[in-house]
Every structure is written in C-alpha cells, then in structure tokens.
Amino acid sequence: MPIANTISIEESGGVSFLLIDNPLCSAKISLYGGHLLSYVPKSDGRERLWLSPMAYLNGERPIRGGVPVCWPWFSDNHGKQKGELPSHGYLRTQTWKVTESDESEKGTRVVLSPTFTRGTGFEYDCSVQLEFVLGDVCSITLRTSNTGVVAFTFNCALHTYFNVPNIDKASLLGLTGDYKDKTDNWAVKPTPSPYRFSGETDRIHLSPCPRVSILDNDEFLTDVESRGHDSIVVWNPWHGAASIGDMDAFGYKHMVCVETAYTGGKELQPGETHSLTQIIG
C-alpha cells in the first residue's frame, strides 16, 4: 500500500517508526504498540508529549511515555488476579500495520490496525482501528467494532503523557465533579480547585469533561479535548518514579498524564462501533 508523501519509515532496534513531517507539524509513531511518541506543531515548535529517556524502543516491553493505547481493559481491571494478565491490555505490546494514509489541508492521516484483537481475557470477535490526524492539532481516535454475534463489554484509554516544564508549577483547568483516588483506597473526593500537584496522583475523574487545559504558572500550555469517554484519568507517580525501571527518578517533574478513558465498562452490541477520541492542541 502506498504511504503518504509526508511519511517516511525508519527502522531501529527491530522496530519500525513512522516519521511525519508536513507544513503543520512533525510527529513520530512507533508501530510497536501503535504508539505516538512525539507531536510538535510548527506554529510554536513545542513538544506536547513526554517520552522517558529510559523508554524501551526495541519491542521488549511497553513504551514509557507518549500515547500508550489501553485496550480491552484499563489498569488491572480484567477480572483476574493482578499480574495474571498484562496491565492495560495487550494492544500496546503488538506490532501494528498501516492500513490507510493520506494528506489534506488538515494534515497527515494515518490509520493503524493491530495484529490481533482476540486474546486471553477477551474472547470476542471485533476489529480495532487507531486513526491519527496530525496537523495544527493532533487527533487520535481508537475505534472498536463488534463484528461478532454477541455483545461484549470493554474498557479503553489513550494514556497520554504530557510534557510540562515543572510539575510544581503545573495545574489543570476544566475538571469538575468527583474522582476516585487510587492512592487512598479508591475514596471518592471532590475535584480540587485550583488543581495543582504536590504528591503522587492517581485519579479517575468520573465526570466526562470535554476539555481539560494544562497550565504552567497559570499560563496556557496544552488543551486536551475528549470524546466518547466516561472519565478522565490523571496520573503522576511523584517520588514513586524512582521504583519504575524505565523512568528516571526525577522524570515525574516533567510529565503529567491526562488520559481520555472509558473505565466504567462500555457494552457494544453486534454491529456497533465505539470511538474514543483525544484532540491535543
């Protein structure tokens, strides 16, 4: 299949990478994991994503940073004992293939498909597509279609790591309602205002807010729009980063995850398609 002119292919460590360079942005996608590693709009030349300098980019393990794809479950919510099945599902450790690519005034469009969707812990017939539109904004859509004859329930997320100059000066704007706090035995708490960071943060916000802004020193940094979601997940490991093998002990200072997610269980009837979309501005 012909590849769009704004895409080149790089091979490194046994993994193929798509390098996108068009008049509006540059970007990099790893076909291992269907994983967006970098997105830089040319309007300001600022990297939106954080990628761990210790990330494994050779296919040995999931990539730390960028935009991991979580599917068909989120975290360890797979109905088995923790560790019995891979955290966040098994799409992020597969090699994906390019099924479509083209160019328009909006930028470069790339559509990827995983090697398989049926696996241990999810024995259903379905198809999955991951579509990127990379231009003056970055749109990512994860589509799940039920191609079988019975309904199934799944969870999914775009687990995006955003680049921030200093987490001590970062804040979020746009989140409302209650959240479940994993660091406090899943206690339900009201969303803080102002929303700042002073320690380990692992929260599932239950209100599907359509837009969250990431601020630095109260000045706009990045907009995150979400569609087709039921929750927003916010994560920063803080000092716990020191125990994460593919993350620098002080890496937490320069990242925050704001994840477009479906964590409450999405039921999909035969013939139905669900789209989860995140737009990064």
Side-chain angles (χ1 to χ4, degrees):
M1 184 199 72
I3 299 292
N5 291 333
T6 51
I7 303 173
S8 59
I9 300 176
E10 176 184 271
E11 304 285 342
S12 177
V15 175
S16 298
F17 300 90
L18 306 181
L19 306 180
I20 294 90
D21 189 7
N22 62 42
L24 300 173
C25 75
S26 62
K28 185 174 183 178
I29 299 171
S30 167
L31 291 185
Y32 174 74
H35 199 122
L36 182 64
L37 304 177
S38 172
Y39 168 65
V40 181
K42 292 186 176 176
S43 59
D44 60 17
R46 182 167 52 81
E47 175 65 74
R48 296 304 195 261
L49 305 179
W50 179 86
L51 179 67
S52 172
M54 300 170 67
Y56 286 78
L57 299 177
N58 57 4
E60 287 187 5
R61 62 177 68 181
I63 298 169
R64 175 73 60 187
V67 188
V69 176
C70 305
W71 187 99
W73 53 78
F74 180 79
S75 187
D76 294 302
N77 186 21
H78 42 56
K80 305 289 186 181
Q81 292 294 318
K82 184 176 181 178
E84 193 171 333
L85 293 173
S87 181
H88 292 315
Y90 46 79
L91 290 192
R92 64 190 188 132
T93 54
Q94 287 187 40
T95 297
W96 296 56
K97 63 181 179 181
V98 180
T99 57
E100 298 178 47
S101 68
D102 54 51
E103 302 162 32
S104 71
E105 69 281 356
K106 293 182 178 180
T108 304
R109 187 177 74 98
V110 183
V111 181
L112 307 180
S113 294
T115 305
F116 62 89
T117 57
R118 191 181 178 116
T120 302
F122 189 80
E123 304 287 345
Y124 299 99
D125 294 321
C126 70
S127 66
V128 171
Q129 283 188 331
L130 185 62
E131 180 184 72
F132 299 92
V133 181
L134 300 150
D136 55 2
V137 297
C138 168
S139 174
I140 311 168
T141 298
L142 180 67
R143 294 190 183 92
T144 304
S145 299
N146 186 339
T147 60
V149 296
V150 297
F152 59 77
T153 300
F154 70 104
N155 289 317
C156 56
L158 298 168
H159 192 313
T160 309
Y161 291 70
F162 288 97
N163 187 37
V164 296
N166 188 335
I167 192 63
D168 293 323
K169 298 178 181 180
S171 61
L172 302 180
L173 185 66
L175 289 167
T176 60
D178 292 335
Y179 69 89
K180 293 192 292 185
D181 189 345
K182 185 177 180 180
T183 69
D184 190 14
N185 198 31
W186 296 111
V188 177
K189 303 177 181 180
T191 293
S193 181
Y195 199 123
R196 300 189 181 278
F197 299 89
S198 59
E200 181 184 0
T201 304
D202 198 347
R203 302 168 176 173
I204 297 179
H205 288 266
L206 304 174
S207 178
C209 302
R211 181 192 294 262
V212 178
S213 295
I214 303 173
L215 308 180
D216 173 52
N217 269 335
D218 296 324
E219 295 186 2
F220 166 80
L221 200 62
T222 304
D223 258 346
V224 186
E225 294 185 35
S226 301
R227 301 171 187 167
H229 60 309
D230 72 346
S231 51
I232 299 288
V233 178
V234 178
W235 180 70
N236 182 292
W238 214 254
H239 295 153
S243 64
I244 299 175
D246 54 358
M247 189 170 179
D248 180 86
F250 298 102
Y252 76 92
K253 288 182 174 289
H254 304 294
M255 54 73 59
V256 63
C257 286
V258 180
E259 308 168 34
T260 299
Y262 212 109
T263 60
K266 175 63 179 177
E267 184 177 73
L268 209 58
Q269 298 294 328
E272 285 188 339
T273 296
H274 173 260
S275 294
L276 182 75
T277 298
Q278 183 177 86
I279 301 172
I280 301 169

